[in-house]
PDB file of all heavy atoms in Angstrom:
ATOM      1  N   THR B 579      56.773   1.843   6.348  1.00 98.00           N
ATOM      2  CA  THR B 579      57.034   3.279   6.151  1.00 98.00           C
ATOM      3  C   THR B 579      58.428   3.628   6.676  1.00 98.00           C
ATOM      4  O   THR B 579      59.116   4.470   6.101  1.00 98.00           O
ATOM      5  CB  THR B 579      55.984   4.166   6.854  1.00 98.00           C
ATOM      6  OG1 THR B 579      56.058   3.980   8.273  1.00 98.00           O
ATOM      7  CG2 THR B 579      54.576   3.859   6.367  1.00 98.00           C
ATOM      8  N   LEU B 580      58.829   2.985   7.762  1.00 98.00           N
ATOM      9  CA  LEU B 580      60.170   3.249   8.304  1.00 98.00           C
ATOM     10  C   LEU B 580      61.247   2.793   7.323  1.00 98.00           C
ATOM     11  O   LEU B 580      62.240   3.491   7.091  1.00 98.00           O
ATOM     12  CB  LEU B 580      60.335   2.535   9.648  1.00 98.00           C
ATOM     13  CG  LEU B 580      59.581   3.180  10.811  1.00 98.00           C
ATOM     14  CD1 LEU B 580      59.407   2.198  11.960  1.00 98.00           C
ATOM     15  CD2 LEU B 580      60.288   4.452  11.282  1.00 98.00           C
ATOM     16  N   LYS B 581      61.029   1.610   6.745  1.00 98.00           N
ATOM     17  CA  LYS B 581      62.008   1.096   5.787  1.00 98.00           C
ATOM     18  C   LYS B 581      62.090   2.012   4.566  1.00 98.00           C
ATOM     19  O   LYS B 581      63.170   2.232   4.011  1.00 98.00           O
ATOM     20  CB  LYS B 581      61.631  -0.322   5.348  1.00 98.00           C
ATOM     21  CG  LYS B 581      61.912  -1.368   6.419  1.00 98.00           C
ATOM     22  CD  LYS B 581      61.532  -2.751   5.892  1.00 98.00           C
ATOM     23  CE  LYS B 581      61.440  -3.751   7.035  1.00 98.00           C
ATOM     24  NZ  LYS B 581      60.569  -4.880   6.708  1.00 98.00           N
ATOM     25  N   ALA B 582      60.929   2.520   4.138  1.00 98.00           N
ATOM     26  CA  ALA B 582      60.907   3.420   2.978  1.00 98.00           C
ATOM     27  C   ALA B 582      61.743   4.663   3.250  1.00 98.00           C
ATOM     28  O   ALA B 582      62.475   5.149   2.383  1.00 98.00           O
ATOM     29  CB  ALA B 582      59.470   3.806   2.643  1.00 98.00           C
ATOM     30  N   LEU B 583      61.664   5.160   4.473  1.00 98.00           N
ATOM     31  CA  LEU B 583      62.416   6.361   4.809  1.00 98.00           C
ATOM     32  C   LEU B 583      63.909   6.052   4.940  1.00 98.00           C
ATOM     33  O   LEU B 583      64.760   6.838   4.506  1.00 98.00           O
ATOM     34  CB  LEU B 583      61.866   6.927   6.124  1.00 98.00           C
ATOM     35  CG  LEU B 583      61.823   8.435   6.271  1.00 98.00           C
ATOM     36  CD1 LEU B 583      61.226   9.113   5.065  1.00 98.00           C
ATOM     37  CD2 LEU B 583      61.023   8.802   7.525  1.00 98.00           C
ATOM     38  N   LEU B 584      64.205   4.884   5.520  1.00 98.00           N
ATOM     39  CA  LEU B 584      65.615   4.477   5.648  1.00 98.00           C
ATOM     40  C   LEU B 584      66.275   4.384   4.269  1.00 98.00           C
ATOM     41  O   LEU B 584      67.453   4.721   4.113  1.00 98.00           O
ATOM     42  CB  LEU B 584      65.700   3.105   6.329  1.00 98.00           C
ATOM     43  CG  LEU B 584      65.842   3.108   7.847  1.00 98.00           C
ATOM     44  CD1 LEU B 584      65.584   1.711   8.396  1.00 98.00           C
ATOM     45  CD2 LEU B 584      67.228   3.600   8.281  1.00 98.00           C
ATOM     46  N   ALA B 585      65.504   3.921   3.288  1.00 98.00           N
ATOM     47  CA  ALA B 585      66.065   3.726   1.950  1.00 98.00           C
ATOM     48  C   ALA B 585      66.059   5.012   1.129  1.00 98.00           C
ATOM     49  O   ALA B 585      66.601   5.054   0.031  1.00 98.00           O
ATOM     50  CB  ALA B 585      65.248   2.648   1.218  1.00 98.00           C
ATOM     51  N   HIS B 586      65.430   6.046   1.641  1.00 98.00           N
ATOM     52  CA  HIS B 586      65.293   7.278   0.851  1.00 98.00           C
ATOM     53  C   HIS B 586      66.621   8.040   0.829  1.00 98.00           C
ATOM     54  O   HIS B 586      67.280   8.177   1.857  1.00 98.00           O
ATOM     55  CB  HIS B 586      64.199   8.157   1.468  1.00 98.00           C
ATOM     56  CG  HIS B 586      63.711   9.231   0.556  1.00 98.00           C
ATOM     57  ND1 HIS B 586      64.414  10.384   0.325  1.00 98.00           N
ATOM     58  CD2 HIS B 586      62.586   9.319  -0.203  1.00 98.00           C
ATOM     59  CE1 HIS B 586      63.735  11.139  -0.535  1.00 98.00           C
ATOM     60  NE2 HIS B 586      62.619  10.518  -0.864  1.00 98.00           N
ATOM     61  N   PRO B 587      67.002   8.546  -0.349  1.00 98.00           N
ATOM     62  CA  PRO B 587      68.290   9.265  -0.430  1.00 98.00           C
ATOM     63  C   PRO B 587      68.377  10.441   0.537  1.00 98.00           C
ATOM     64  O   PRO B 587      69.467  10.803   0.991  1.00 98.00           O
ATOM     65  CB  PRO B 587      68.351   9.747  -1.878  1.00 98.00           C
ATOM     66  CG  PRO B 587      67.038   9.413  -2.509  1.00 98.00           C
ATOM     67  CD  PRO B 587      66.355   8.404  -1.656  1.00 98.00           C
ATOM     68  N   ALA B 588      67.230  11.020   0.899  1.00 98.00           N
ATOM     69  CA  ALA B 588      67.258  12.177   1.803  1.00 98.00           C
ATOM     70  C   ALA B 588      67.873  11.808   3.148  1.00 98.00           C
ATOM     71  O   ALA B 588      68.483  12.654   3.806  1.00 98.00           O
ATOM     72  CB  ALA B 588      65.838  12.713   2.019  1.00 98.00           C
ATOM     73  N   TYR B 589      67.733  10.538   3.536  1.00 98.00           N
ATOM     74  CA  TYR B 589      68.197  10.170   4.878  1.00 98.00           C
ATOM     75  C   TYR B 589      69.723  10.169   4.968  1.00 98.00           C
ATOM     76  O   TYR B 589      70.285  10.282   6.053  1.00 98.00           O
ATOM     77  CB  TYR B 589      67.621   8.808   5.290  1.00 98.00           C
ATOM     78  CG  TYR B 589      67.709   8.574   6.783  1.00 98.00           C
ATOM     79  CD1 TYR B 589      67.220   9.514   7.678  1.00 98.00           C
ATOM     80  CD2 TYR B 589      68.306   7.416   7.302  1.00 98.00           C
ATOM     81  CE1 TYR B 589      67.311   9.331   9.049  1.00 98.00           C
ATOM     82  CE2 TYR B 589      68.387   7.218   8.683  1.00 98.00           C
ATOM     83  CZ  TYR B 589      67.895   8.181   9.548  1.00 98.00           C
ATOM     84  OH  TYR B 589      67.986   7.994  10.905  1.00 98.00           O
ATOM     85  N   ALA B 590      70.370  10.025   3.819  1.00 97.00           N
ATOM     86  CA  ALA B 590      71.836   9.984   3.836  1.00 97.00           C
ATOM     87  C   ALA B 590      72.455  11.281   3.320  1.00 97.00           C
ATOM     88  O   ALA B 590      73.677  11.415   3.279  1.00 97.00           O
ATOM     89  CB  ALA B 590      72.309   8.803   2.995  1.00 97.00           C
ATOM     90  N   ALA B 591      71.620  12.229   2.926  1.00 98.00           N
ATOM     91  CA  ALA B 591      72.153  13.455   2.322  1.00 98.00           C
ATOM     92  C   ALA B 591      72.911  14.276   3.363  1.00 98.00           C
ATOM     93  O   ALA B 591      72.528  14.309   4.532  1.00 98.00           O
ATOM     94  CB  ALA B 591      71.009  14.279   1.730  1.00 98.00           C
ATOM     95  N   PRO B 592      74.006  14.942   2.929  1.00 98.00           N
ATOM     96  CA  PRO B 592      74.787  15.726   3.889  1.00 98.00           C
ATOM     97  C   PRO B 592      74.037  16.976   4.349  1.00 98.00           C
ATOM     98  O   PRO B 592      73.170  17.484   3.649  1.00 98.00           O
ATOM     99  CB  PRO B 592      76.033  16.114   3.082  1.00 98.00           C
ATOM    100  CG  PRO B 592      75.629  16.024   1.653  1.00 98.00           C
ATOM    101  CD  PRO B 592      74.561  14.975   1.570  1.00 98.00           C
ATOM    102  N   LEU B 593      74.392  17.441   5.551  1.00 98.00           N
ATOM    103  CA  LEU B 593      73.787  18.654   6.101  1.00 98.00           C
ATOM    104  C   LEU B 593      74.866  19.702   6.303  1.00 98.00           C
ATOM    105  O   LEU B 593      76.017  19.374   6.570  1.00 98.00           O
ATOM    106  CB  LEU B 593      73.133  18.355   7.451  1.00 98.00           C
ATOM    107  CG  LEU B 593      71.850  17.515   7.436  1.00 98.00           C
ATOM    108  CD1 LEU B 593      71.523  17.036   8.845  1.00 98.00           C
ATOM    109  CD2 LEU B 593      70.694  18.309   6.851  1.00 98.00           C
ATOM    110  N   GLY B 594      74.440  20.973   6.206  1.00 97.00           N
ATOM    111  CA  GLY B 594      75.396  22.054   6.411  1.00 97.00           C
ATOM    112  C   GLY B 594      75.325  22.620   7.823  1.00 97.00           C
ATOM    113  O   GLY B 594      74.694  22.054   8.712  1.00 97.00           O
ATOM    114  N   ARG B 595      75.967  23.777   7.976  1.00 96.00           N
ATOM    115  CA  ARG B 595      76.037  24.430   9.271  1.00 96.00           C
ATOM    116  C   ARG B 595      74.644  24.905   9.711  1.00 96.00           C
ATOM    117  O   ARG B 595      73.868  25.382   8.896  1.00 96.00           O
ATOM    118  CB  ARG B 595      76.972  25.628   9.132  1.00 96.00           C
ATOM    119  CG  ARG B 595      77.569  26.038  10.431  1.00 96.00           C
ATOM    120  CD  ARG B 595      78.775  26.942  10.304  1.00 96.00           C
ATOM    121  NE  ARG B 595      78.804  27.721  11.539  1.00 96.00           N
ATOM    122  CZ  ARG B 595      78.422  28.971  11.624  1.00 96.00           C
ATOM    123  NH1 ARG B 595      78.049  29.631  10.562  1.00 96.00           N
ATOM    124  NH2 ARG B 595      78.430  29.586  12.802  1.00 96.00           N
ATOM    125  N   ASN B 596      74.329  24.769  10.975  1.00 97.00           N
ATOM    126  CA  ASN B 596      73.032  25.167  11.536  1.00 97.00           C
ATOM    127  C   ASN B 596      71.854  24.424  10.912  1.00 97.00           C
ATOM    128  O   ASN B 596      70.723  24.882  10.954  1.00 97.00           O
ATOM    129  CB  ASN B 596      72.790  26.672  11.404  1.00 97.00           C
ATOM    130  CG  ASN B 596      73.742  27.466  12.273  1.00 97.00           C
ATOM    131  OD1 ASN B 596      74.165  26.979  13.326  1.00 97.00           O
ATOM    132  ND2 ASN B 596      74.087  28.663  11.832  1.00 97.00           N
TER     133      ASN B 596
END
Side-chain angles (χ1 to χ4, degrees):
Chain B
T579 64
L580 286 161
K581 286 181 195 156
L583 216 48
L584 268 167
H586 196 283
Y589 197 52
L593 289 167
R595 204 164 153 257
N596 293 330

